[in-house]
Amino acid sequence: GGPAWLELLNKDSLSTLSEAVVEPSLLEVADKPGESFQFQRVGFFTVDLDSTKAKPVFNRVVPLKQQALPVPDPPKSQDPPKAEKAAAAKEDKKEAGEGGKKEKKEKKEKAPAPAAAPAEAQPEWTKLDIRVGELTKTWPHPDSEKLWCEEIAVGEEAPRQVCSGLRAHYGAEEFCAGRKVVVVCNLKPAK
């Protein structure tokens, strides 16, 4: 077989915001899984199965606009800042010039980097970004009798181009523009 399906997921597809603020009226439905809403300028969300009024959880199912995830700042080094190092080096040169050779300082061993915190336990199937999309254009793949090529609108700025091995199961009249389809949107691009 091919690679495990978890290896095909985009590792950046899960983003958790634990300090987000929502309209207070959403607490009234926070314990009703499956209810869906549009959060202004963000996307469409649904109430999670684990959501409660005390701890509401909303899952984004369709973004309004594809956005890059923020890049975290690199971890700060245990070494003193560059300015301090430069000042110390300058002082060392000054002392060496006045009184001859200066003894070399012993090198300190760097402490090993702290281990990363374990990732939260999350059921594997919840990592899938599954969306309902609409076919906007379909055509037979020019080099394969098994593949359809399609453009699918899934709530992003432009439709996604996808190749699927459905030609043996759907004819041109069934697999046409306007048909609703389910799309797994966080798979790595295939060749």
Side-chain angles (χ1 to χ4, degrees), residues 84-148:
E84 289 178 27
K85 285 183 178 179
K90 189 175 183 180
E91 188 64 32
D92 288 348
K93 285 182 183 178
K94 184 179 177 183
E95 288 178 12
E98 292 174 358
K101 293 183 179 180
K102 185 176 189 257
E103 291 183 30
K104 291 184 179 180
K105 293 183 181 179
E106 291 183 29
K107 291 185 179 181
K108 294 182 182 178
E109 290 185 30
K110 291 185 179 180
E120 289 183 32
Q122 178 186 5
E124 301 299 333
W125 65 269
T126 63
K127 295 179 182 179
L128 294 172
D129 180 6
I130 301 174
R131 303 183 201 170
V132 175
E134 185 174 327
L135 295 174
T136 58
K137 182 179 176 185
T138 62
W139 65 98
H141 192 285
D143 299 329
S144 173
E145 294 180 10
K146 297 180 180 180
L147 298 176
W148 279 113

Side-chain angles (χ1 to χ4, degrees), residues 9-72:
L9 292 182
N10 178 345
K11 65 181 176 61
D12 299 321
S13 66
L14 174 68
S15 177
T16 303
L17 304 175
S18 57
E19 308 249 344
V21 179
V22 295
E23 182 69 31
S25 63
L26 287 173
L27 294 178
E28 296 172 19
V29 294
D31 59 351
K32 297 179 181 170
E35 290 287 325
S36 48
F37 306 92
Q38 179 182 358
F39 291 176
Q40 191 172 8
R41 293 187 293 278
V42 178
F44 293 91
F45 289 74
T46 186
V47 178
D48 190 85
L49 294 172
D50 297 329
S51 182
T52 63
K53 287 185 179 184
K55 187 176 179 186
V57 179
F58 298 94
N59 297 319
R60 183 171 68 179
V61 291
V62 178
L64 290 182
K65 185 176 180 183
Q66 191 70 16
Q67 300 173 1
L69 295 175
V71 177

Side-chain angles (χ1 to χ4, degrees), residues 132-179:
V132 175
E134 185 174 327
L135 295 174
T136 58
K137 182 179 176 185
T138 62
W139 65 98
H141 192 285
D143 299 329
S144 173
E145 294 180 10
K146 297 180 180 180
L147 298 176
W148 279 113
C149 297
E150 60 260 7
E151 288 185 356
I152 306 172
V154 290
E156 299 171 340
E157 287 184 26
R160 289 184 179 224
Q161 283 196 347
V162 177
C163 287
S164 56
L166 298 173
R167 215 157 135 194
H169 307 285
Y170 294 95
E173 47 298 323
E174 296 173 294
F175 205 68
C176 59
R179 183 179 182 101

